Amino acid sequence: MLELLAVTAGYDRRAPVVRDATLTLSPGESIGLLGPSGCGKSTLARVAALLHRPDAGRVVIDGEPARGYRHRAPREQRTAFGVVFQQPRQSADPRLRLADLIAEPLRATGRAEGAAGRAAEAAEAAETVGLGTDLLGRRPHEVSDGQLQRACLARALILRPRYLVCDEMTAMLDASTTAALVGVVEAYRRETGAGLLAVGHDRVLLDRWCDRTTDWSELGAHDADVTGAGLQKAGDRR
């Protein structure tokens, strides 16, 4: 279980964008967090994935409090999460070929032996997300946004995380690519029992995708107690 307990976070301690937020995500559960740009939902998602240190509150991963954030998070906690961001070109190293981009987590954690082992696992992950092997030798500027986002999803899944955080993952994609990537995520979740936090602004998509969709503005206005989804209170907009 992933727990965010009374989290306050932002980029200026004097003006937090998330205040006193509590979220509980069980294994196998999917929560959609709906809200406009700039409301703070992406900041909360980054805290959940140990990518942003909160100003107050706690993150608990499967009963164990978070012991660090970003590069200071211990490996066993950091690798519990797979994250896909809205803009693939901002989250992909432009110097890397797609095969190396997908294999980045393997190299960083030493999970695969040698370049050949990483290449084999990257090719398998690429196939899972519908990315042709003929594209693996290309760099980000040589592929479309949809193809690059498939590579970013493959990278997020390659370590078999227990929790997925998809922050506006499909916002820049066409309908067919959106459906394909959501299908990949759901197939992975059925296989592994992973939990999902999906952040977005498309209510129709989140309602179809997730067990429950929670509107950010309602949370901030009413300190809502959301049974099952576990989101109880979230805070100030920017």
Side-chain angles (χ1 to χ4, degrees), residues 149-200:
Q149 192 68 305
R150 288 177 188 265
C152 290
L153 177 56
R155 177 180 61 183
L157 297 179
I158 201 164
L159 293 182
R160 314 270 306 166
R162 301 193 300 275
Y163 300 99
L164 292 172
V165 177
C166 296
D167 185 4
E168 303 267 16
M169 178 182 76
T170 64
M172 299 180 66
L173 307 179
D174 60 32
S176 62
T177 306
T178 293
L181 294 193
V182 168
V184 170
V185 169
E186 288 308 289
Y188 176 80
R189 293 182 59 239
R190 286 193 298 271
E191 178 188 354
T192 65
L196 168 70
L197 175 62
V199 174

Side-chain angles (χ1 to χ4, degrees), residues 33 59 66 87 101 122 143 179 183 198 218 231 234:
L33 183 56
V59 178
Q87 299 186 22
L101 185 154
V143 298
E218 294 174 0
L231 265 169

